[in-house]
Amino acid sequence: MFVVVKKRQVVLAAVLCLLVIAGALTAALLRVNTTDVAAKPKKLLPVYSVRTEENKVALTFDAAWGSDKTEKILDLLDRYDAKATFFLVGFWIEKNPELTKEILARGHCIGNHSQDHPHLPTLGKEKIEEQIESVNVSLKNLTGQRPLFFRPPFGDYDNALISVLKEKGMIGIQWDVDSLDWKGLGGKDIAERVLSRVRKGSIILCHNNSDHILDALPLILLGLKNKGLATVTMDELVATENYTIDNNGTQIKLT
């Protein structure tokens, strides 16, 4: 026996079949995406800058290799009534204990920059803790103060590092203005680069022994003054409690 099926019925059945298949595929994709989102951990961030209406910025110097320009940097900061934060590597502190104490004596802030300046994400948690804690102990023994702020060498961090810092009650610090003084730029070029990018709440990266930092620093400090921006220590810019950090690394103080 032959059954005659109308063309319209065939088309309707085919459409319904396709809709069922499409629905099943969509549901499967949603399940995969939801699983991926749930499995992927949230990226933890250090502080790159601070959202603030106050006219202030943080000028920072990383110190690892070399120290012969540091005294002159301190003199220039005094001359322009500016304060800064020095992130010190452990072996630098060991070679320059008196200079380390002088940085504090002149009213500046000292942060931790690791013991040996390694790429910390390549190390396990135990080694990361050692790199941080050895400097904390050295500074506590030398100055009586334990550092609150940490800057990862090379700006290289991951969730493991940020988690260790949180466990130790420390705050990771990056920057939103890179002077590129480490690239050998001339003093004028360094200053122009900083002053063209700086804004309220910026954190400026410099190095204590870069080739032309002593040429650039007076121009930077004068330029910041002309912009009405005060250079303050890290603890005067960055909140130490009641804050959040957005996806750009901007710290936002909570009321």
Side-chain angles (χ1 to χ4, degrees):
M1 181 177 68
F2 296 95
V3 177
V4 178
V5 182
K6 293 182 179 180
K7 183 178 180 180
R8 182 179 296 176
Q9 291 175 323
V10 172
V11 172
L12 181 59
V15 170
L16 290 173
C17 183
L18 289 173
L19 288 174
V20 170
I21 294 172
L25 287 173
T26 300
L29 287 172
L30 286 173
R31 285 196 298 273
V32 170
N33 290 337
T34 302
T35 301
D36 288 345
V37 171
K40 186 176 181 180
K42 178 183 177 181
K43 184 173 177 59
L44 303 178
L45 295 173
V47 177
Y48 282 76
S49 64
V50 175
R51 182 182 297 175
T52 180
E53 292 304 314
E54 297 183 81
N55 294 319
K56 57 186 182 181
V57 299
L59 180 61
T60 70
F61 297 89
D62 288 0
W65 296 278
S67 60
D68 55 291
K69 298 174 184 175
T70 306
E71 191 81 40
K72 292 179 180 179
I73 289 174
L74 294 174
D75 291 341
L76 286 169
L77 292 171
D78 283 347
R79 184 184 306 171
Y80 287 88
D81 193 26
K83 299 302 178 186
T85 300
F86 291 78
F87 286 95
L88 308 182
V89 169
F91 61 70
W92 193 94
I93 296 169
E94 293 165 5
K95 292 179 181 178
N96 302 279
E98 295 306 315
L99 196 49
T100 299
K101 290 190 287 187
E102 185 175 352
I103 289 170
L104 282 179
R106 296 220 199 177
H108 305 293
C109 179
I110 290 180
N112 185 329
H113 197 35
S114 83
Q115 177 60 37
D116 301 315
H117 208 273
H119 286 278
L120 291 175
T122 66
L123 309 179
K125 180 180 180 182
E126 183 177 345
K127 293 295 184 182
I128 291 174
E129 291 176 337
E130 289 176 4
Q131 284 286 326
I132 296 171
E133 194 59 28
S134 61
V135 177
N136 287 349
V137 171
S138 293
L139 285 171
K140 176 67 174 178
N141 291 339
L142 181 64
T143 69
Q145 296 185 19
R146 185 179 177 90
L148 175 60
F149 303 103
F150 179 86
R151 172 170 284 162
F154 311 104
D156 194 6
Y157 66 90
D158 60 6
N159 280 9
L161 171 58
I162 303 301
S163 296
V164 168
L165 292 176
K166 287 185 177 182
E167 290 172 7
K168 292 182 175 295
M170 301 178 72
I171 301 173
I173 301 293
Q174 290 283 85
W175 59 85
D176 65 321
V177 179
D178 188 347
S179 69
L180 292 185
D181 59 348
W182 53 275
K183 278 194 168 183
L185 298 180
K188 184 178 179 182
D189 290 334
I190 293 170
E192 288 179 350
R193 178 177 174 82
V194 170
L195 296 173
S196 66
R197 290 165 170 77
V198 72
R199 56 186 173 82
K200 295 177 183 178
S202 281
I203 298 174
I204 305 166
L205 171 66
C206 297
H207 296 79
N208 74 308
N209 222 50
S210 56
D211 291 343
H212 301 289
I213 188 60
L214 295 178
D215 299 323
L217 190 54
L219 301 176
I220 292 172
L221 294 173
L222 181 59
L224 292 174
K225 278 187 175 292
N226 289 340
K227 286 176 173 287
L229 295 171
T231 53
V232 300
T233 56
M234 194 62 60
D235 54 331
E236 293 180 277
L237 178 68
V238 174
T240 58
E241 57 184 11
N242 297 324
Y243 67 85
T244 186
I245 299 174
D246 70 13
N247 291 335
N248 296 315
T250 302
Q251 185 192 63
I252 303 167
K253 300 172 184 177
L254 303 176
T255 55

